[in-house]
Each structure stands twice: as C-alpha cells, then as structure tokens.
Amino acid sequence: MSDATSTVLVIDDDPDLRASVGRLLRSLGINVQLFASISEFLKSDPPDCPTCLVLDIRMPGQSGLDLQHELAAANREIPIIFVTGHGDIPMSVQAMKRGAIEFLTKPFRDQDLLDAIQLGLSRDHARRESDKDLAALRARFGSLSPREREIVIQVARGRLSKQIAHDIGIAEATVKVHRSRAMQKMQAGSLPELGRMADKLKLVPDAPQRS
C-alpha cells in the first residue's frame, strides 16, 4: 500500500490515536499529517496530491459532521473516513448519506482503516485525473475560433451540416471545413466522440422535463 505521492490527513483530539494511526501509516510508506483539532486543520494548506481524511466525529467545539458540511459547502472534495468512540447509528447514517467512505467505531481493526484509506485515496486519485482531463478539454475548446465553437455546439445538438449552413447563412462546404478544423483541435476522431466531448463540457443544456 506504500504510496509516497498520497497524503492521509488525521483529525482527532485523542493524542494516542493520532500517534498510533501516524505510526501505522508511516510504517507502510504513506505520508500522513496529524491534527489535534478542526481549527488546526483549517489553517493548513491542502496537499496537492490524492488525499483522504480520517476524522473523529465527536470533538470539542466543531464536530466532524460540521466539518463535512463545511467542506461540501466550499466545494472542497475530499473522501472522509469517520471514526468514533461512540456507536451512533443516526450519526453514521447522516455521515454516509453525505458521502463518507466509512464509519468506524473505536477500537477498530488496522486493516479496516487501511481498506477504507485505500478506497478513499483511489477515489480522490480518479477525481483528480478526471478534473485534469476536463481542464485539458476546456482548453482545447477555448482554442477554437468563435465560428468553430458555434458549429461544435450545433453538431452537439444533432444538427446536420445542411441545417447548420441554413441557420447561420454560410455554405454547407464551409460548415464542413470549420467542423473538420474543430475536430482536429479538439482531438476528436469521430462525430460521436465530438458529441461526448460536448456532453462533458455541458455545451448543450439538458432538455426540460415535461410534466
């Protein structure tokens, strides 16, 4: 499980648990940052690598559930593994509904924690790769001329070259030239692939649901 390019963040006011989890993860070659409180965590800079958070649900002041809500409101996506010394079913249900990876009751097995951490890091890695791919796709779309962007959007709407030419008042052959250049810049090998790219970029709004 050794992964020096990932970081596990641990927030718990129990110094023994923090030290124990820190030793366990470092012994496996995993970077770990330990925090005694949520306020201490919020003052730190987020790591620029796949990350997950091991979070005590009950702490003085702000609770783990409060932090989960705050991170979601700030659109800061980070997989969370909750740990607690008190088995609280309504609390665990609430945490899982909000997207927590796992809810572990102390004392928990090391392997259960490691399995949850592996899942959390894998999910964050996949999210970061997806974000990077989307950013590259946006950059390619941004490199198109205004006319090429217009035609890509029309193609994504299912319009034929003849229809697009009529709509915007240019020759059909000209539409095809612009479309071809746009596909090259977007690195789309086919019209269906161009359509999938347009979907990822949300270039065409979803049709309203009929009541």
Side-chain angles (χ1 to χ4, degrees), residues 73-132:
N75 204 27
R76 184 174 169 188
E77 297 183 54
I78 177 170
I80 298 176
I81 299 146
F82 280 108
V83 296
T84 180
H86 312 275
D88 186 324
I89 291 175
M91 210 175 260
S92 66
V93 169
Q94 186 178 354
M96 299 301 280
K97 276 185 176 178
R98 289 181 179 175
I101 294 285
E102 186 59 275
F103 193 98
L104 301 174
T105 302
K106 303 172 187 176
F108 44 77
R109 293 172 58 244
D110 286 351
Q111 193 57 53
D112 289 339
L113 177 63
L114 293 173
D115 288 346
I117 286 172
Q118 186 64 54
L119 177 58
L121 292 176
S122 296
R123 284 192 186 175
D124 201 47
H125 175 76
R127 178 190 64 79
R128 286 169 179 271
E129 287 298 307
S130 177
D131 288 351
K132 192 194 309 180

Side-chain angles (χ1 to χ4, degrees), residues 2-111:
S2 173
D3 189 352
T5 62
S6 300
T7 297
V8 177
L9 309 170
V10 180
I11 310 175
D12 200 301
D13 60 338
D14 180 346
D16 292 335
L17 184 132
R18 284 200 311 275
S20 173
V21 173
R23 281 194 301 271
L24 172 66
L25 297 179
R26 289 184 185 115
S27 73
L28 295 170
I30 301 170
N31 291 328
V32 60
Q33 295 179 15
L34 307 176
F35 303 94
S37 67
I38 288 173
S39 60
E40 186 182 332
F41 162 76
L42 290 173
K43 291 173 187 171
S44 67
D45 293 325
D48 186 20
C49 61
T51 308
C52 74
L53 175 59
V54 178
L55 176 61
D56 190 359
I57 204 161
R58 291 180 184 271
M59 281 181 290
Q62 193 176 15
S63 73
L65 284 175
D66 290 336
L67 177 61
Q68 183 187 33
H69 181 74
E70 184 175 332
L71 292 173
N75 204 27
R76 184 174 169 188
E77 297 183 54
I78 177 170
I80 298 176
I81 299 146
F82 280 108
V83 296
T84 180
H86 312 275
D88 186 324
I89 291 175
M91 210 175 260
S92 66
V93 169
Q94 186 178 354
M96 299 301 280
K97 276 185 176 178
R98 289 181 179 175
I101 294 285
E102 186 59 275
F103 193 98
L104 301 174
T105 302
K106 303 172 187 176
F108 44 77
R109 293 172 58 244
D110 286 351
Q111 193 57 53

